[in-house]
Amino acid sequence: MKKEFLYDHALSKFGIEAQRYMLFEECGELLDAISKFQRGRAEQEDVVTELADVTIMCEQMARYYGWGAYELHLAKKRKRLYQRVFKE
C-alpha cells in the first residue's frame, strides 16, 4: 500500500485538526524519549519508535499541505546539507 493512500485515508477518517494535535503530541513524546535517553532512563529503541511516529505524522501533514512541495523542499534541504558536509 502506498503511504500517500494511507495518509489520505487517515486524514479523511480522523480529520486534519485531530492529526495536527497528534503531531504535537508525538513531537512531545520524541523530545521526552530523547531527554530520557540522554539521562540513561530510556533505550535507543524508545527514541527510534518515537522518531517513526513523528515521521508518520509529519508525512501526513506534508500530504495535507502539499506532497510535491514537501518533496521539493526536502530535496533542497538535503542538497544544502550535502554541501555543508562535503564542500565547505
Side-chain angles (χ1 to χ4, degrees):
M1 174 186 309
K2 288 191 74 162
K3 61 184 171 182
E4 293 91 341
F5 177 80
L6 175 61
Y7 297 156
D8 287 348
H9 284 282
L11 288 164
S12 177
K13 181 173 184 168
F14 302 117
I16 185 62
E17 290 303 319
Q19 295 308 82
R20 262 193 219 119
Y21 182 80
M22 284 302 300
L23 173 60
F24 301 153
E25 187 176 309
E26 295 298 348
C27 286
E29 290 175 7
L30 174 59
L31 292 170
D32 188 51
I34 291 170
S35 177
K36 286 179 180 176
F37 179 79
Q38 288 296 106
R39 292 176 292 157
R41 296 181 51 217
E43 301 295 321
Q44 184 171 328
E45 186 166 337
D46 299 321
V47 175
V48 172
T49 297
E50 296 305 331
L51 279 169
D53 289 342
V54 169
T55 299
I56 288 169
M57 295 312 301
C58 284
E59 287 183 342
Q60 284 185 58
M61 294 301 104
R63 188 72 182 146
Y64 179 78
Y65 289 108
W67 191 260
Y70 166 75
E71 288 183 323
L72 177 66
H73 286 281
L74 198 56
K76 287 178 183 179
K77 299 283 185 174
R78 285 183 178 143
K79 182 179 178 181
R80 188 173 79 184
L81 175 61
Y82 177 88
Q83 290 171 339
R84 287 179 174 173
V85 170
F86 295 108
K87 302 207 178 190
E88 290 186 347

